[in-house]
Amino acid sequence: MSADVPTYLDGNAAAGALREVFAVDLTAAIGKCTGCGHSAVFAEAHVYVDAPGMVARCPGCDNVLLRVVSTPNDTYLDLRGLTYLRISNTP
Amino acid sequence: MGIISPGFTGRGRSGSDLPPGQYLTQDFPVLSAGPTPHVLPEHWEFTIATESGEMHRWDWAAFQRLPAEEITRDLHCVTRWSKLATDWKGVSLDALFEDVETAADFVMAHSYGGYTTNLPLEDLLDGQAWIAYQYDGEPLAAEHGGPARLLVPHLYLWKSAKWVRGLVLSDTDDLGFWETAGYHEYGDPWKEQRYAGD
């Protein structure tokens, strides 16, 4: 394996898709990775959009944090790579 | 003036060759759900694990000694692009399964980088699938799945796992990376099986 030219965007690229599902802006939320335990603002995630769905990966270990697939009838949201999302209650 | 006009290159292929809902592209778009693995051939290994746990292994040298085939097939991506008459070189799955004893019906393909996709075993045999390592006469680029990828061109391209490292045989049709997130378990482009339930 060798170094790679990044093909991802930052977590802000997920804002639109997540706004379709959540009533709050998740890009400012703190997410904890189930893979390595790294906690970071979701905006720091590596987001891959040139794919059949949107995939957000941990900036520390590349574990999949979140996947969003929109079909004509449903939106599939897979959050299993996140131990939690910590969302501030203060505006 | 010659008999054949300079622009004539044979009977063109048009949208009539495409499965429903697809458009034709001349490019070769790169889709990826994660960082591109860069696996050197000397570190590459391909395995087939049977349902009884028996493991068959090929390193790059052993893989290269298997009979290779030239393959020309159309590709159909679930994101709606199709690319016609693509040229590949690879090893037929029939050759790789020659000494594999199994009664399993299903396969999970695993890739370097963690990607998975599920297929019926019968869709990998009888000249329908290959482990491809050349595209257009050149070693397969990492961005397209090199050093070697699964090629199952009669199904949507997400089934042709890039950077493939092994197949695990199973009696059950477990779901892979995209199949667990709403994509169809089989993915026949001619039946437009894009999403679960199509």
Side-chain angles (χ1 to χ4, degrees):
Chain A
M1 312 283 275
S2 64
D4 191 21
V5 178
T7 55
Y8 58 81
L9 306 173
D10 70 34
N12 292 301
L18 294 176
R19 201 158 39 233
E20 300 289 318
V21 183
F22 293 100
V24 295
D25 176 12
L26 287 188
T27 59
I30 305 293
K32 183 177 175 70
C33 173
T34 59
C36 68
H38 180 76
S39 292
V41 174
F42 189 78
E44 293 180 8
H46 295 172
V47 175
Y48 294 82
V49 295
D50 292 328
M54 191 190 72
V55 178
R57 290 180 179 266
C58 173
C61 72
D62 278 332
N63 181 50
V64 176
L65 298 174
L66 173 152
R67 298 185 295 167
V68 182
V69 170
S70 293
T71 77
N73 297 319
D74 303 290
T75 295
Y76 286 74
L77 178 65
D78 173 8
L79 295 165
R80 83 181 86 170
L82 285 163
T83 304
Y84 60 71
L85 270 173
R86 180 155 57 88
I87 303 155
S88 174
N89 291 331
T90 55
Chain B
M1 182 177 168
I3 298 171
I4 300 173
S5 69
F8 187 82
T9 56
R11 188 174 69 89
R13 297 183 63 187
S14 67
S16 63
D17 291 318
L18 299 180
Q22 296 293 109
Y23 69 87
L24 189 62
T25 183
Q26 305 299 328
D27 302 330
F28 195 169
V30 175
L31 274 69
S32 189
T36 299
H38 289 268
V39 184
L40 296 172
E42 55 265 40
H43 297 151
W44 183 88
E45 181 184 64
F46 181 74
T47 59
I48 296 176
T50 71
E51 69 276 27
S52 65
E54 188 184 1
M55 190 73 89
H56 300 257
R57 297 178 186 277
W58 295 264
D59 63 13
W60 190 255
F63 174 68
Q64 293 287 303
R65 284 194 295 270
L66 295 169
E69 299 178 6
E70 306 280 346
I71 309 136
T72 301
R73 290 291 189 283
D74 301 339
L75 305 179
H76 307 295
C77 179
V78 74
T79 61
R80 299 187 180 275
W81 60 263
S82 288
K83 184 173 177 63
L84 302 182
T86 59
D87 294 321
W88 302 82
K89 185 176 182 181
V91 174
S92 164
L93 266 293
D94 295 308
L96 288 154
F97 270 90
E98 194 169 294
D99 296 324
V100 176
E101 288 194 18
T102 179
D105 291 325
F106 302 102
V107 172
M108 186 71 78
H110 292 260
S111 295
Y112 292 97
Y115 181 76
T116 56
T117 190
N118 57 289
L119 306 105
L121 176 57
E122 65 180 8
D123 283 82
L124 297 183
L125 303 176
D126 297 326
Q128 298 184 91
W130 297 265
I131 303 297
Y133 58 90
Q134 282 188 14
Y135 172 72
D136 249 354
E138 301 288 335
L140 183 58
E143 64 178 3
H144 288 303
R149 72 179 294 168
L150 186 60
L151 183 64
V152 194
H154 69 286
L155 300 177
Y156 280 124
L157 198 55
W158 92 77
K159 297 288 185 178
S160 294
K162 299 200 282 189
W163 315 296
V164 69
R165 65 173 174 81
L167 305 176
V168 177
L169 292 153
S170 172
D171 296 324
T172 56
D173 192 11
D174 302 320
L175 300 179
F177 185 83
W178 288 121
E179 294 86 354
T180 54
Y183 280 92
H184 198 274
E185 63 183 18
Y186 183 65
D188 183 342
W190 296 96
K191 294 179 179 171
E192 207 167 1
Q193 293 173 335
R194 297 180 194 277
Y195 305 110
D198 283 349

